Amino acid sequence: MRLALQEAARAEKVADVPVGAIVLGPGGDVLGRGHNQREAAADPTAHAEIVALRAAAWRLGRWRLDGCTLVVTLEPCTMCAGAIVLARLDRLVYGAVDPKSGAVGSLWDVVRDRRLNHRPEVIAGVLADECGQVLRTFFSGRRG
């Protein structure tokens, strides 16, 4: 999660919401890194998770990321939760809960939906206070 927090700091430097993500391979090696790049790329799909998943898939040369773990500072949205399922990730680890658009238990629970063909293990709340504080600081600075 500390590596994901470092990625989140990179997003904040380019005035995007500070969310960071890391994809770890089965042996714990970093296969992909990402931070929100929606503003810089003018791309609504450039969420940290999507950027990290794309980097890992490119590095492995395949779209199936079985055996891999995604670590992200904020509970994924519906788009990212769907991508996690489609990528066949073994595990999702996230920090702060997103009560406004979270799709891993807050508003929806896409990754645990029994109607889908894949359900990764979910580990929630890792460094949740620290991950949440990064976001609260960012948004309070934008408001005031």
Side-chain angles (χ1 to χ4, degrees), residues 6-75:
Q6 289 174 7
E7 283 297 316
R10 294 180 66 198
E12 191 169 13
K13 288 179 183 173
V14 294
D16 213 325
V17 177
V19 177
I22 302 292
V23 176
L24 301 172
D29 51 319
V30 176
L31 298 176
R33 297 172 182 266
H35 57 276
N36 275 357
Q37 297 179 25
R38 296 172 307 164
E39 299 298 334
D43 179 355
T45 69
H47 289 203
E49 300 95 293
I50 301 298
V51 174
L53 291 173
R54 286 177 179 158
W58 183 85
R59 183 163 179 199
L60 291 173
R62 57 186 167 92
W63 63 268
R64 288 181 186 262
L65 299 178
D66 48 280
C68 296
T69 299
L70 175 69
V71 180
V72 61
T73 59
L74 181 64
E75 178 184 357

Side-chain angles (χ1 to χ4, degrees), residues 75-134:
E75 178 184 357
C77 69
T78 52
M79 175 183 68
C80 295
I84 289 163
V85 170
L86 293 172
R88 312 294 198 273
L89 285 163
D90 279 11
R91 188 173 304 102
L92 165 65
V93 177
Y94 72 87
V97 169
D98 186 351
K100 293 184 179 179
S101 62
V104 185
S106 290
L107 293 181
W108 301 280
D109 202 348
V110 173
V111 300
R112 292 185 193 101
D113 191 319
R114 299 186 67 73
R115 295 169 292 181
L116 299 176
N117 64 342
H118 181 75
R119 286 177 297 284
E121 174 187 7
V122 176
I123 300 169
V126 176
L127 297 180
D129 290 339
E130 190 171 339
C131 292
Q133 188 57 49
V134 168

